[in-house]
Every structure is written in C-alpha cells, then in structure tokens.
Amino acid sequence: GDSGGPLQVKLLHNTRITPFLVGVTSFGTACGLSVPGVYTRVAPYVPWIRTVLNDRAENATEWKFQPQACALRYAQYREYEPRVLLHKNELEESVDLSEAHLFNEVSRQQVSIHWNATIMKKECFGVIIDESTIATLAQCAVQNGLKDPIKFSKQFTPACIWERADLPESEYEVAGRGLLELNTIHVDDKDLEATASEFILRQYQTFLI
C-alpha cells in the first residue's frame, strides 16, 4: 500500500505553490472506495522531529519550521500557480504575472484607524461604505483618543455591504495585510528565508525600542 505517503495541502505565496505536509498515511483500503483512509497528523511530532535532526547536527531551529520560512525556502524552484503559467518545458517557462492572485497594493476601500495608544501590531482597519460610515470590528471602535483618525487612498471608492445569505461568486478578492515577503511577486536567487528572518528580527527590535 501507500503507508507513510503524504496528505498535503498546497498554499499560495509569491505566485508560487508550496505543498505542506499535514499527515502521513497510516492505513486504509484502496483509493476510490467509500471506506475512509486513516492518517497520522504530523504537527504534534514536530518537536520530536527537530530533536532528532538536531542530534544529527542538522541545526533544526524553530524558525525553519515556521510556515513562512518553509514557503520561502527554495521559493524560486516552486511551481507557479496555474493561472500565471503560459508555457513550460524542460529548459524554460514563461508566465503572465498580471494574472497573479497576489497584488502588492492596498484596497481602495480600506482605511487605517489610528488611536493614540495604537502600537504596530494592534493597528485597526476598516472599509469605507459611504461619506459617514466605516465598517470595522467593535474593538476598533471603542478606543478613546484619535490621532490622524483615519488614512485612506486618494483614489478611494466606497464599497457596498452584501446583505444576502448566498454568496455571489465562487472566487473572492481578499484584501489584507499579509507578510510582505510572501506577497512579493518577483522571486530571484537571493536567500529569501534568511531575508525574511532578518526582516522579522528588525521589526521585533524596532518594537522593543
């Protein structure tokens, strides 16, 4: 059988796709039957895996097992997401990055909300609905004392609230503040994993100061 085989989920970043191992086949019957297979979840064994690797001088740091570190490792060799790939053969591949799901820009409907006590990791955001309404979380509307109350794009356009239970489309555009290093479209031969680690360290040091 395929005992030990992978159960994977593929996640998108940098217009690339990285498979993440979430389980390994424990036992089951042939594929395509109504009897479910049984998988062993990998995450609980990560501390043990790191211990074994460190015992073999592999330097298995906690950072190396973080999702963003693993995604950026060998990122330039990952597969492109299918919608941007135009042609591929053994020697080269061509892509159309205008079709990418990821965009390094802010939604024109998004506003940032600045409170006096706001720190970098607790900044609030909302969506402009009309000239006097912003939709946001309750916790972002109960603070006291505003400094430069809201900031938004000069080219902003208001959004509408969808009030029906059914959703209109099968695909959605998600506007949010993800990790910058995972949203960069152009991937070169630079060590992206180390770059991301240094970026997070600098941000942490700035926050401490």
Side-chain angles (χ1 to χ4, degrees):
D2 59 353
S3 296
L7 176 63
Q8 300 177 143
V9 58
K10 293 185 176 181
L11 300 182
L12 175 66
H13 64 94
N14 306 102
T15 70
R16 309 282 184 141
I17 296 177
T18 293
F20 282 83
L21 180 67
V22 296
V24 293
T25 305
S26 180
F27 61 89
T29 58
C31 296
L33 301 180
S34 59
V35 180
V38 178
Y39 297 83
T40 299
R41 189 183 297 271
V42 174
Y45 295 92
V46 168
W48 174 78
I49 293 172
R50 288 185 55 216
T51 298
V52 172
L53 291 174
N54 284 324
D55 288 344
R56 298 180 179 181
E58 292 291 339
N59 189 29
T61 62
E62 183 177 354
W63 162 252
K64 288 187 175 182
F65 280 81
Q66 293 298 310
Q68 65 268 37
C70 183
L72 294 174
R73 194 175 303 136
Y74 314 122
Q76 61 269 34
Y77 305 116
R78 307 286 188 189
E79 294 181 29
Y80 278 102
E81 60 169 314
R83 65 184 288 165
V84 307
L85 188 61
L86 297 177
H87 171 74
K88 181 179 180 180
N89 57 37
E90 295 181 358
L91 299 177
E92 59 182 9
E93 57 187 3
S94 57
V95 297
D96 179 4
L97 294 178
S98 67
E99 293 294 325
H101 276 98
L102 300 178
F103 300 93
N104 188 19
E105 60 184 30
V106 177
S107 168
R108 292 185 178 183
Q109 291 77 44
Q110 179 175 292
V111 300
S112 56
I113 304 172
H114 303 274
W115 302 99
N116 288 337
T118 293
I119 60 176
M120 179 178 61
K121 292 188 177 180
K122 293 185 179 180
E123 192 170 9
C124 284
F125 294 85
V127 177
I128 298 174
I129 303 301
D130 58 35
E131 63 272 11
S132 62
T133 307
I134 294 175
T136 186
L137 292 176
Q139 68 186 38
C140 291
V142 297
Q143 303 288 338
N144 292 315
L146 284 169
K147 64 168 185 178
D148 300 326
I150 59 174
K151 293 182 179 180
F152 52 88
S153 169
K154 293 181 180 180
Q155 291 80 35
F156 82 91
T157 54
C160 295
I161 295 178
W162 184 262
E163 90 290 353
R164 299 178 182 176
D166 58 316
L167 298 177
E169 299 290 345
S170 58
E171 292 189 8
Y172 307 93
E173 178 179 314
V174 179
R177 289 167 62 91
L179 294 173
L180 178 61
E181 64 270 18
L182 295 181
N183 288 298
T184 302
I185 290 181
H186 296 288
V187 178
D188 53 28
D189 294 332
K190 186 167 55 176
D191 188 344
L192 296 177
E193 180 187 358
T195 302
S197 179
E198 292 169 2
F199 174 79
I200 290 175
L201 178 60
R202 287 198 303 271
Q203 293 286 86
Y204 178 69
Q205 289 174 336
T206 302
F207 177 69
L208 287 180
I209 294 174

